[in-house]
Amino acid sequence: MSDGTTIARPYAEALFKLSLDEGENFSNELNFLATVLRDKDLSLYLASPTVSKDKGKKFVLSILPENFNQRLKNFFELLVDNSRIIFLEEILQQFHNLENEHNKILEAKILSAFKLLDNQKNLIKERLEKKFNKKVVLSCIVDKTLIGGITISIGDYVIDGSIKRNLEILKNSILVN
């Protein structure tokens, strides 16, 4: 486990608990804040040793709408004060994972050699939902190096039905014998 993951976890958990109290608009405001903070020029500005933490915080807070969630503003300031703003992406990823776990949602990444048809996607989705007893959200990516077949990744769980993998297994068995 990386240090970033370890550092981000308590912030992500606090952010998730906060989201449960705040309601639906919280996610939109969090996404807005994340979008603002992902700006490369702003990141360089905030990372500059010539810019004080207070000056950086004031600048970012001035960009946010006047009626922006005060608890999110406080969260941002806490990250800056504790020099944890560099872990924002990891915090957001862990927050997203906690949110999905709470809502019983799994994200499945499908790599396929060719673009999948809608009925194929629906069939895969139905089978995964039945297997895991959770709602599944698919993201499909075409990877021609697979030659044929598909690879499904859900977190650390991988189903590899690609021709590329089968050829690797065949090659290894020939080399061993």
Side-chain angles (χ1 to χ4, degrees):
M1 188 174 293
S2 72
D3 290 338
T5 301
T6 303
I7 290 169
R9 184 180 302 113
Y11 290 96
E13 290 171 353
L15 190 59
F16 177 69
K17 288 177 185 171
L18 183 63
S19 75
L20 294 176
D21 295 339
E22 291 293 321
E24 288 182 32
N25 201 29
F26 182 85
S27 288
N28 294 336
E29 290 182 313
L30 178 59
N31 288 335
F32 180 80
L33 178 61
T35 301
V36 167
L37 295 175
R38 283 183 183 121
D39 181 81
K40 288 185 182 5
D41 293 331
L42 180 60
S43 296
L44 289 172
Y45 175 77
L46 293 175
S48 171
T50 60
V51 177
S52 70
K53 288 181 180 180
D54 284 339
K55 189 175 179 182
K57 286 191 301 190
K58 285 179 184 172
F59 180 75
V60 171
L61 293 174
S62 72
I63 296 171
L64 301 177
E66 195 171 307
N67 62 343
F68 194 78
N69 186 305
Q70 184 60 46
R71 292 170 116 185
L72 273 177
K73 288 180 185 178
N74 295 344
F75 184 78
F76 161 73
E77 291 186 86
L78 179 72
L79 290 178
V80 172
D81 289 340
N82 293 335
S83 301
R84 298 299 191 235
I85 199 73
I86 60 170
F87 298 105
L88 180 66
E89 287 305 318
E90 181 68 30
I91 292 168
L92 292 173
Q93 182 58 53
Q94 289 191 33
F95 168 80
H96 186 66
N97 293 344
L98 289 168
E99 196 174 44
N100 282 346
E101 187 178 311
H102 177 75
N103 294 321
K104 295 187 181 210
I105 295 174
L106 287 177
E107 291 184 3
K109 180 179 170 184
I110 299 177
L111 297 178
S112 61
F114 303 97
K115 185 176 180 188
L116 295 175
L117 302 173
D118 287 340
N119 63 336
Q120 292 170 317
K121 290 179 196 176
N122 291 335
L123 182 62
I124 293 168
K125 182 178 176 181
E126 286 172 15
R127 289 188 179 172
L128 290 173
E129 286 178 344
K130 187 174 182 181
K131 178 176 178 62
F132 292 102
N133 198 27
K134 292 185 177 181
K135 182 177 187 237
V136 173
V137 176
L138 299 179
S139 73
C140 300
I141 301 167
V142 174
D143 180 359
K144 300 247 183 235
T145 65
L146 295 178
I147 303 169
I150 64 170
T151 300
I152 302 171
S153 302
I154 301 174
D156 295 336
Y157 184 79
V158 178
I159 302 167
D160 193 340
S162 67
I163 292 176
K164 178 181 178 181
R165 176 70 179 136
N166 289 328
L167 288 174
E168 288 172 7
I169 292 169
L170 181 61
K171 175 185 163 189
N172 291 336
S173 70
I174 291 170
L175 292 175
V176 170
N177 295 329

